Amino acid sequence: MSLSAQDIERIAHLARIRVSPDEVAQVQAKLEGIFKLIDDMQSVNTQGVEPMSHGLDMVLRLRDDAVTEVNQREKFQSNAPAAADGYFLVPKVIE
Amino acid sequence: MSWNTFATVAETKKALDAKQVSAVELAKHYLSRVSSINPALNAFITIDPEKTLSEALAQDNRRAKGEAAPLLGVPIAHKDIYLIDGWRTTCGSKMLENFVAPYSSTVVKNMADAGMVTLGKLNMDEFAMGSSNETSYFGTVKNPWDLSRVPGGSSGGSAASVAAGLTPASTGTDTGGSIRQPAMFCNLTGLKPTYGVCSRYGIIAFASSLDQAGPFAQTAEDCALLLSAMAGFDPHDATSLDRPKEDYSRDLSKPLKGLRIGLPKEFFGDGVAPGIAKAVDEALDVYRKLGATTVEVSLPNVKYSVPAYYVVAPAEASSNLSRFDGARFGHRAKDYTDIVDMYKRSRAEGFGAEVKRRILIGTYVLSHGYYDAYYLQAGKLRRLIAEDFKKAYEVCDVVMGPTAPEGAFQFGAKSDDPVKMYLNDIFTICANLTGQPAMSHPCGVDKDTGQFVGMHIIGNYLDEARMLNVAHQYQLATEWHKKHPAL
């Protein structure tokens, strides 16, 4: 599989990671190497195989719909890059 | 007070229970050892002697009040991926350089309930992505046996700290080999339990369907004590196994007569360094002398472990790491034009190159039109690999082979070539994909390179007690695990 510079820019945008124009070629080369490794698995015929995500095939539990957390807003917001009056501050998103 | 800094967890527990030493004295001993030795190793990212000593005092007070706990007063250091309320928790990243955890992970809580005292937070590859501890924002960790070599990764600080006698034990996490490979590189015993045995709550997520917590120590006996404290059902982790607590030490003294060891031919191929193959063969002779028999097995699909892993792990990482957006916590760029630019610049600055690479791979394989070819195909391969093991267990009880195809390497040897780095985990990754328990114990030296060799034991689901029994019996008959570096 080959990735174009446009592919890298598209993925980087989807991932919300800035890749500067002079980094694109290097990222492209490294990712191509990794996809060469990954593409080894494409040759395996897996028709009819049930995909697995948990070795013991456990089923997710349900829990009671009850309040279990206490309000710790100040504690949590002490890690925020910018917060005021109980709000997280971000650039304006609604005109 | 004079204290053997290489005392095992079992010996430390015994000395504490006999009141030959207090938790405060032990904490002071190890903190002073950390301050003298750590600058050469860089195994710790954060220490907080005030917190440690107050924890130690609290554990001594529990004892004074007649309270009993299995590891009352025994020191432990935690990989910096475990949240501990009030402790800085960085995950080895600039992104979390100043993040102070607002709550504690279940594993840390369980160990504190068992009486353990936190010595500090250990260096690691950034977000646990790496096999050499070279991707940490806080610098590389040196292998205490040879400062020009890597300690392995991603739990490099966890391995180096125990090997150097800076703590009797440590915690790590293992997503593709991050406990077992550094255990081999630093001549330690390390265990990744069955997926779901240890809660993932409060452990910063890398690849949620693969991540497992586990212990590092000098011996299998210690790992059994530690796992007994760490493990247990936790309603906060949706994939935690709802089952009663286990005593993982219960079978340690069972003789190995009748044990059937499966040797997959795929683990003994051309890729393994000849010195490693030889050390593993010699260790298998010890097992045979102890009464075990060996049988060749085949795991034909295990060769797809690395490609499948480099789909599943980055895919899940790209999703998990989307929470680092510079809005609620973590690094935020200084200059940006709008909110999307803020995300992009904060993430570009806060993450290192390897983390970004994996997020990009994960984003790609999950993007529109690619899901079936990548994530779904990898999920199917996980099933095929698990079925290979199932078949193997019809004729054997445990599977063995080398933990890694080569031993501790020099700094820089692989850091420019991600694929070369990834292939170091070729034997360990399959146990994460299937969710089986696996461990590494010291079993000799590669005579060509002088580096340590680890015996990799993979077991059937929930068979940790048997695996620990197997490794313990080997350690009763051998001395490899008793070697310590001169520092």
Side-chain angles (χ1 to χ4, degrees):
Chain A
M1 189 187 84
S2 71
L3 289 164
S4 65
Q6 286 74 26
D7 287 329
I8 301 297
E9 283 160 10
R10 184 179 64 90
I11 305 166
H13 172 68
L14 289 173
R16 300 291 186 269
I17 293 176
R18 184 172 187 272
V19 176
S20 67
D22 48 320
E23 290 170 317
V24 170
Q26 212 214 351
V27 171
Q28 189 182 346
K30 291 253 160 86
L31 292 197
E32 277 195 356
I34 297 166
F35 274 105
K36 225 177 113 190
L37 174 87
I38 291 174
D39 284 340
D40 273 355
M41 68 174 200
Q42 301 299 0
S43 62
V44 189
N45 181 359
T46 55
Q47 226 181 346
V49 177
E50 186 70 19
M52 183 181 109
S53 63
H54 191 294
L56 299 170
D57 285 318
M58 73 169 274
V59 184
L60 289 180
R61 290 183 307 275
L62 294 175
R63 61 164 172 80
D64 292 337
D65 186 15
V67 177
T68 54
E69 298 295 321
V70 293
N71 182 10
Q72 301 184 71
R73 186 171 68 186
E74 281 70 32
K75 193 174 184 187
F76 293 154
Q77 290 197 331
S78 64
N79 274 308
D85 305 326
Y87 294 102
F88 293 100
L89 302 186
V90 294
K92 194 172 176 184
V93 285
I94 303 165
E95 291 303 328
Chain B
M1 184 202 70
S2 91
W3 177 254
N4 169 20
T5 204
F6 293 107
T8 63
V9 170
E11 288 161 356
T12 306
K13 166 184 158 66
K14 219 168 141 191
L16 280 157
D17 290 347
K19 298 189 180 164
Q20 289 158 352
V21 69
S22 71
V24 168
E25 286 171 322
L26 282 176
K28 283 183 178 160
H29 165 86
Y30 286 103
L31 285 173
S32 121
R33 177 126 176 127
V34 169
S35 61
S36 63
I37 307 274
N38 189 58
L41 298 178
N42 198 30
F44 280 79
I45 291 177
T46 303
I47 56 162
D48 189 334
E50 211 177 295
K51 277 200 176 71
T52 297
L53 290 172
S54 94
E55 273 186 38
L57 188 63
Q59 298 295 0
D60 278 338
N61 287 340
R62 280 176 80 181
R63 187 182 298 283
K65 275 187 268 173
E67 246 185 85
L71 297 168
L72 197 48
V74 179
I76 179 88
H78 294 291
K79 185 176 183 179
D80 205 15
I81 197 168
Y82 289 83
L83 304 191
I84 312 181
D85 197 354
W87 285 75
R88 181 169 78 131
T89 300
T90 70
C91 223
S93 182
K94 178 182 179 182
M95 183 58 85
L96 293 175
E97 189 174 7
N98 301 308
F99 179 77
V100 178
Y103 69 99
S104 290
S105 67
T106 300
V107 162
V108 167
K109 261 195 204 155
N110 287 349
M111 293 181 111
D113 287 347
M116 302 198 85
V117 175
T118 304
L119 287 173
K121 307 295 296 290
L122 296 163
N123 204 341
M124 56 183 283
D125 276 303
E126 185 180 6
F127 286 102
M129 297 176 192
S131 307
S132 63
N133 218 119
E134 286 169 288
T135 72
S136 170
Y137 174 67
F138 299 91
T140 57
V141 176
K142 313 292 184 290
N143 188 318
W145 291 93
D146 177 346
L147 300 181
S148 73
R149 289 178 192 267
V150 304
S154 69
S155 312
S158 306
S161 61
V162 177
L166 307 185
T167 174
S170 65
T171 54
T173 55
D174 190 314
T175 303
S178 285
I179 290 176
R180 293 160 283 158
Q181 183 253 28
M184 161 162 153
F185 283 16
C186 292
N187 199 42
L188 296 172
T189 308
L191 170 74
K192 178 201 90 73
T194 305
Y195 182 80
V197 161
C198 290
S199 168
R200 293 182 293 107
Y201 181 68
I203 297 173
I204 296 171
F206 163 12
S208 301
S209 77
L210 308 170
D211 296 343
Q212 251 306 282
F216 279 90
Q218 294 172 59
T219 66
E221 182 187 16
D222 283 2
C223 285
L225 290 168
L226 294 160
L227 184 61
S228 301
M230 295 170 85
F233 171 64
D234 178 13
H236 283 117
D237 172 358
T239 57
S240 170
L241 295 172
D242 191 355
R243 50 197 299 278
K245 269 250 184 217
E246 250 188 82
D247 169 13
Y248 292 99
S249 308
R250 66 180 187 273
D251 292 334
L252 286 179
S253 56
K254 280 194 177 168
L256 295 191
K257 198 170 161 28
L259 177 78
R260 299 169 304 165
I261 299 172
L263 304 176
K265 54 178 189 246
E266 293 80 5
F267 289 178
F268 293 86
D270 291 341
V272 181
I276 290 186
K278 191 157 182 292
V280 167
D281 279 343
E282 286 168 9
L284 288 169
D285 282 338
V286 173
Y287 274 115
R288 289 188 195 98
K289 277 197 195 112
L290 291 170
T293 55
T294 54
V295 53
E296 191 182 283
V297 295
S298 180
L299 307 169
N301 291 295
V302 84
K303 60 175 178 285
Y304 302 114
S305 296
V306 177
Y309 178 86
Y310 278 96
V311 170
V312 174
E316 295 180 7
S318 73
S319 168
N320 275 323
L321 272 65
S322 65
R323 64 174 56 100
F324 301 104
D325 56 5
R328 292 155 302 150
F329 51 80
H331 176 78
R332 179 185 291 193
K334 264 205 183 74
D335 303 305
Y336 41 83
T337 53
D338 58 19
I339 192 155
V340 173
D341 194 46
M342 182 188 92
Y343 296 150
K344 286 185 175 180
R345 285 177 191 270
S346 301
R347 289 161 67 77
E349 292 171 14
F351 293 138
E354 180 63 21
V355 172
K356 285 190 258 192
R357 262 200 293 279
R358 298 213 195 176
I359 293 174
L360 293 173
I361 296 167
T363 304
Y364 183 81
V365 300
L366 292 179
S367 65
H368 184 71
Y370 295 99
Y371 181 83
D372 284 6
Y374 290 108
Y375 196 78
L376 200 68
Q377 173 76 349
K380 292 174 169 187
L381 283 166
R382 291 176 79 168
R383 173 83 58 198
L384 293 179
I385 296 165
E387 280 169 6
D388 283 355
F389 274 100
K390 210 168 163 185
K391 243 176 247 154
Y393 291 127
E394 288 170 9
V395 295
C396 68
D397 304 308
V398 291
V399 165
M400 288 193 193
T403 302
E406 63 172 312
F409 44 86
Q410 305 270 344
F411 287 103
K414 297 175 195 293
S415 46
D416 285 337
D417 186 347
V419 170
K420 232 163 130 190
M421 187 71 86
Y422 298 170
L423 290 172
N424 202 256
D425 295 332
I426 194 158
F427 301 135
T428 46
I429 278 174
C430 56
N432 300 83
L433 291 173
T434 60
Q436 290 165 272
M439 65 183 295
S440 179
H441 71 69
C443 78
V445 165
D446 175 342
K447 293 210 171 68
D448 302 327
T449 62
Q451 299 308 304
F452 289 108
V453 180
M455 178 65 95
H456 193 209
I457 308 177
I458 305 178
N460 211 339
Y461 298 105
L462 302 171
D463 222 3
E464 287 85 355
R466 189 212 302 256
M467 294 157 63
L468 288 160
N469 156 237
V470 168
H472 177 65
Q473 290 300 313
Y474 176 88
Q475 289 178 336
L476 288 178
T478 54
E479 301 278 322
W480 295 112
H481 61 289
K482 292 184 181 164
K483 289 163 73 85
H484 304 298
L487 284 163

PDB file of all heavy atoms in Angstrom, chain B residues 402-422:
ATOM      1  N   PRO B 402      11.529 -18.336  24.149  1.00  0.00           N
ATOM      2  CA  PRO B 402      12.227 -17.126  24.593  1.00  0.00           C
ATOM      3  C   PRO B 402      11.249 -15.952  24.681  1.00  0.00           C
ATOM      4  O   PRO B 402      10.308 -15.877  23.911  1.00  0.00           O
ATOM      5  CB  PRO B 402      13.274 -16.886  23.501  1.00  0.00           C
ATOM      6  CG  PRO B 402      12.764 -17.603  22.296  1.00  0.00           C
ATOM      7  CD  PRO B 402      11.894 -18.736  22.779  1.00  0.00           C
ATOM      8  N   THR B 403      11.501 -15.034  25.626  1.00  0.00           N
ATOM      9  CA  THR B 403      10.626 -13.872  25.766  1.00  0.00           C
ATOM     10  C   THR B 403      10.800 -12.903  24.598  1.00  0.00           C
ATOM     11  O   THR B 403       9.841 -12.309  24.123  1.00  0.00           O
ATOM     12  CB  THR B 403      10.922 -13.155  27.099  1.00  0.00           C
ATOM     13  OG1 THR B 403      10.720 -14.098  28.155  1.00  0.00           O
ATOM     14  CG2 THR B 403      10.025 -11.953  27.303  1.00  0.00           C
ATOM     15  N   ALA B 404      12.029 -12.720  24.148  1.00  0.00           N
ATOM     16  CA  ALA B 404      12.312 -11.818  23.030  1.00  0.00           C
ATOM     17  C   ALA B 404      13.394 -12.449  22.168  1.00  0.00           C
ATOM     18  O   ALA B 404      14.207 -13.227  22.658  1.00  0.00           O
ATOM     19  CB  ALA B 404      12.763 -10.449  23.542  1.00  0.00           C
ATOM     20  N   PRO B 405      13.413 -12.133  20.880  1.00  0.00           N
ATOM     21  CA  PRO B 405      14.386 -12.760  19.973  1.00  0.00           C
ATOM     22  C   PRO B 405      15.810 -12.277  20.175  1.00  0.00           C
ATOM     23  O   PRO B 405      16.750 -12.912  19.730  1.00  0.00           O
ATOM     24  CB  PRO B 405      13.875 -12.376  18.579  1.00  0.00           C
ATOM     25  CG  PRO B 405      13.039 -11.155  18.777  1.00  0.00           C
ATOM     26  CD  PRO B 405      12.458 -11.264  20.154  1.00  0.00           C
ATOM     27  N   GLU B 406      15.981 -11.108  20.821  1.00  0.00           N
ATOM     28  CA  GLU B 406      17.339 -10.670  21.175  1.00  0.00           C
ATOM     29  C   GLU B 406      17.293  -9.942  22.505  1.00  0.00           C
ATOM     30  O   GLU B 406      16.243  -9.468  22.935  1.00  0.00           O
ATOM     31  CB  GLU B 406      17.948  -9.791  20.068  1.00  0.00           C
ATOM     32  CG  GLU B 406      17.198  -8.503  19.843  1.00  0.00           C
ATOM     33  CD  GLU B 406      17.922  -7.565  18.878  1.00  0.00           C
ATOM     34  OE1 GLU B 406      19.128  -7.334  19.040  1.00  0.00           O
ATOM     35  OE2 GLU B 406      17.255  -7.055  17.963  1.00  0.00           O
ATOM     36  N   GLY B 407      18.461  -9.835  23.145  1.00  0.00           N
ATOM     37  CA  GLY B 407      18.513  -9.250  24.480  1.00  0.00           C
ATOM     38  C   GLY B 407      18.631  -7.736  24.445  1.00  0.00           C
ATOM     39  O   GLY B 407      18.454  -7.095  23.404  1.00  0.00           O
ATOM     40  N   ALA B 408      18.941  -7.150  25.624  1.00  0.00           N
ATOM     41  CA  ALA B 408      19.030  -5.690  25.758  1.00  0.00           C
ATOM     42  C   ALA B 408      19.988  -5.133  24.711  1.00  0.00           C
ATOM     43  O   ALA B 408      21.118  -5.595  24.569  1.00  0.00           O
ATOM     44  CB  ALA B 408      19.513  -5.336  27.158  1.00  0.00           C
ATOM     45  N   PHE B 409      19.507  -4.129  23.956  1.00  0.00           N
ATOM     46  CA  PHE B 409      20.338  -3.557  22.889  1.00  0.00           C
ATOM     47  C   PHE B 409      20.808  -2.161  23.283  1.00  0.00           C
ATOM     48  O   PHE B 409      20.366  -1.593  24.279  1.00  0.00           O
ATOM     49  CB  PHE B 409      19.575  -3.562  21.553  1.00  0.00           C
ATOM     50  CG  PHE B 409      18.137  -3.106  21.635  1.00  0.00           C
ATOM     51  CD1 PHE B 409      17.799  -1.769  21.559  1.00  0.00           C
ATOM     52  CD2 PHE B 409      17.113  -4.053  21.805  1.00  0.00           C
ATOM     53  CE1 PHE B 409      16.469  -1.367  21.628  1.00  0.00           C
ATOM     54  CE2 PHE B 409      15.772  -3.650  21.881  1.00  0.00           C
ATOM     55  CZ  PHE B 409      15.452  -2.302  21.800  1.00  0.00           C
ATOM     56  N   GLN B 410      21.721  -1.629  22.466  1.00  0.00           N
ATOM     57  CA  GLN B 410      22.301  -0.306  22.741  1.00  0.00           C
ATOM     58  C   GLN B 410      21.277   0.793  22.438  1.00  0.00           C
ATOM     59  O   GLN B 410      20.439   0.634  21.554  1.00  0.00           O
ATOM     60  CB  GLN B 410      23.529  -0.071  21.839  1.00  0.00           C
ATOM     61  CG  GLN B 410      24.598  -1.131  21.934  1.00  0.00           C
ATOM     62  CD  GLN B 410      25.628  -0.828  23.005  1.00  0.00           C
ATOM     63  OE1 GLN B 410      25.732   0.299  23.482  1.00  0.00           O
ATOM     64  NE2 GLN B 410      26.379  -1.835  23.399  1.00  0.00           N
ATOM     65  N   PHE B 411      21.410   1.901  23.135  1.00  0.00           N
ATOM     66  CA  PHE B 411      20.572   3.054  22.818  1.00  0.00           C
ATOM     67  C   PHE B 411      20.757   3.439  21.358  1.00  0.00           C
ATOM     68  O   PHE B 411      21.886   3.429  20.852  1.00  0.00           O
ATOM     69  CB  PHE B 411      20.926   4.238  23.721  1.00  0.00           C
ATOM     70  CG  PHE B 411      20.443   4.046  25.123  1.00  0.00           C
ATOM     71  CD1 PHE B 411      21.325   3.680  26.132  1.00  0.00           C
ATOM     72  CD2 PHE B 411      19.101   4.204  25.431  1.00  0.00           C
ATOM     73  CE1 PHE B 411      20.872   3.469  27.418  1.00  0.00           C
ATOM     74  CE2 PHE B 411      18.640   3.999  26.715  1.00  0.00           C
ATOM     75  CZ  PHE B 411      19.526   3.632  27.715  1.00  0.00           C
ATOM     76  N   GLY B 412      19.650   3.754  20.695  1.00  0.00           N
ATOM     77  CA  GLY B 412      19.729   4.197  19.307  1.00  0.00           C
ATOM     78  C   GLY B 412      19.744   3.083  18.287  1.00  0.00           C
ATOM     79  O   GLY B 412      19.600   3.339  17.099  1.00  0.00           O
ATOM     80  N   ALA B 413      19.906   1.816  18.746  1.00  0.00           N
ATOM     81  CA  ALA B 413      20.039   0.711  17.791  1.00  0.00           C
ATOM     82  C   ALA B 413      18.792   0.543  16.925  1.00  0.00           C
ATOM     83  O   ALA B 413      18.876   0.087  15.787  1.00  0.00           O
ATOM     84  CB  ALA B 413      20.350  -0.591  18.526  1.00  0.00           C
ATOM     85  N   LYS B 414      17.625   0.856  17.460  1.00  0.00           N
ATOM     86  CA  LYS B 414      16.389   0.648  16.701  1.00  0.00           C
ATOM     87  C   LYS B 414      15.499   1.880  16.669  1.00  0.00           C
ATOM     88  O   LYS B 414      14.427   1.846  16.065  1.00  0.00           O
ATOM     89  CB  LYS B 414      15.577  -0.493  17.342  1.00  0.00           C
ATOM     90  CG  LYS B 414      16.272  -1.838  17.330  1.00  0.00           C
ATOM     91  CD  LYS B 414      15.431  -2.853  18.089  1.00  0.00           C
ATOM     92  CE  LYS B 414      16.222  -4.092  18.435  1.00  0.00           C
ATOM     93  NZ  LYS B 414      16.604  -4.887  17.269  1.00  0.00           N
ATOM     94  N   SER B 415      15.920   2.951  17.333  1.00  0.00           N
ATOM     95  CA  SER B 415      14.972   4.045  17.541  1.00  0.00           C
ATOM     96  C   SER B 415      14.606   4.780  16.250  1.00  0.00           C
ATOM     97  O   SER B 415      13.602   5.478  16.207  1.00  0.00           O
ATOM     98  CB  SER B 415      15.495   5.024  18.600  1.00  0.00           C
ATOM     99  OG  SER B 415      16.841   5.332  18.371  1.00  0.00           O
ATOM    100  N   ASP B 416      15.398   4.597  15.182  1.00  0.00           N
ATOM    101  CA  ASP B 416      15.055   5.266  13.921  1.00  0.00           C
ATOM    102  C   ASP B 416      14.178   4.414  13.021  1.00  0.00           C
ATOM    103  O   ASP B 416      13.708   4.872  11.993  1.00  0.00           O
ATOM    104  CB  ASP B 416      16.334   5.641  13.144  1.00  0.00           C
ATOM    105  CG  ASP B 416      17.013   6.846  13.776  1.00  0.00           C
ATOM    106  OD1 ASP B 416      16.300   7.619  14.473  1.00  0.00           O
ATOM    107  OD2 ASP B 416      18.227   7.002  13.600  1.00  0.00           O
ATOM    108  N   ASP B 417      13.993   3.159  13.402  1.00  0.00           N
ATOM    109  CA  ASP B 417      13.244   2.250  12.537  1.00  0.00           C
ATOM    110  C   ASP B 417      12.126   1.585  13.334  1.00  0.00           C
ATOM    111  O   ASP B 417      12.327   0.560  13.981  1.00  0.00           O
ATOM    112  CB  ASP B 417      14.199   1.194  11.972  1.00  0.00           C
ATOM    113  CG  ASP B 417      13.510   0.303  10.954  1.00  0.00           C
ATOM    114  OD1 ASP B 417      12.261   0.330  10.871  1.00  0.00           O
ATOM    115  OD2 ASP B 417      14.219  -0.442  10.257  1.00  0.00           O
ATOM    116  N   PRO B 418      10.913   2.169  13.294  1.00  0.00           N
ATOM    117  CA  PRO B 418       9.819   1.634  14.117  1.00  0.00           C
ATOM    118  C   PRO B 418       9.565   0.152  13.867  1.00  0.00           C
ATOM    119  O   PRO B 418       9.323  -0.602  14.810  1.00  0.00           O
ATOM    120  CB  PRO B 418       8.602   2.468  13.705  1.00  0.00           C
ATOM    121  CG  PRO B 418       9.063   3.559  12.828  1.00  0.00           C
ATOM    122  CD  PRO B 418      10.512   3.358  12.521  1.00  0.00           C
ATOM    123  N   VAL B 419       9.655  -0.290  12.619  1.00  0.00           N
ATOM    124  CA  VAL B 419       9.332  -1.687  12.328  1.00  0.00           C
ATOM    125  C   VAL B 419      10.308  -2.630  13.026  1.00  0.00           C
ATOM    126  O   VAL B 419       9.916  -3.642  13.614  1.00  0.00           O
ATOM    127  CB  VAL B 419       9.300  -1.928  10.797  1.00  0.00           C
ATOM    128  CG1 VAL B 419       9.203  -3.412  10.484  1.00  0.00           C
ATOM    129  CG2 VAL B 419       8.122  -1.172  10.175  1.00  0.00           C
ATOM    130  N   LYS B 420      11.591  -2.271  13.014  1.00  0.00           N
ATOM    131  CA  LYS B 420      12.615  -3.065  13.703  1.00  0.00           C
ATOM    132  C   LYS B 420      12.298  -3.134  15.199  1.00  0.00           C
ATOM    133  O   LYS B 420      12.423  -4.181  15.833  1.00  0.00           O
ATOM    134  CB  LYS B 420      13.973  -2.386  13.515  1.00  0.00           C
ATOM    135  CG  LYS B 420      15.060  -3.304  12.984  1.00  0.00           C
ATOM    136  CD  LYS B 420      16.197  -2.453  12.456  1.00  0.00           C
ATOM    137  CE  LYS B 420      17.549  -2.814  12.943  1.00  0.00           C
ATOM    138  NZ  LYS B 420      18.538  -1.784  12.556  1.00  0.00           N
ATOM    139  N   MET B 421      11.892  -1.996  15.758  1.00  0.00           N
ATOM    140  CA  MET B 421      11.540  -1.946  17.175  1.00  0.00           C
ATOM    141  C   MET B 421      10.342  -2.847  17.456  1.00  0.00           C
ATOM    142  O   MET B 421      10.334  -3.608  18.412  1.00  0.00           O
ATOM    143  CB  MET B 421      11.226  -0.491  17.558  1.00  0.00           C
ATOM    144  CG  MET B 421      11.012  -0.253  19.028  1.00  0.00           C
ATOM    145  SD  MET B 421      12.534  -0.381  19.976  1.00  0.00           S
ATOM    146  CE  MET B 421      13.188   1.279  19.843  1.00  0.00           C
ATOM    147  N   TYR B 422       9.336  -2.782  16.586  1.00  0.00           N
ATOM    148  CA  TYR B 422       8.112  -3.560  16.807  1.00  0.00           C
ATOM    149  C   TYR B 422       8.401  -5.062  16.829  1.00  0.00           C
ATOM    150  O   TYR B 422       7.765  -5.813  17.559  1.00  0.00           O
ATOM    151  CB  TYR B 422       7.072  -3.271  15.710  1.00  0.00           C
ATOM    152  CG  TYR B 422       6.585  -1.840  15.622  1.00  0.00           C
ATOM    153  CD1 TYR B 422       5.802  -1.418  14.554  1.00  0.00           C
ATOM    154  CD2 TYR B 422       6.895  -0.906  16.607  1.00  0.00           C
ATOM    155  CE1 TYR B 422       5.347  -0.109  14.464  1.00  0.00           C
ATOM    156  CE2 TYR B 422       6.455   0.403  16.521  1.00  0.00           C
ATOM    157  CZ  TYR B 422       5.683   0.801  15.438  1.00  0.00           C
ATOM    158  OH  TYR B 422       5.234   2.094  15.349  1.00  0.00           O
TER     159      TYR B 422
END
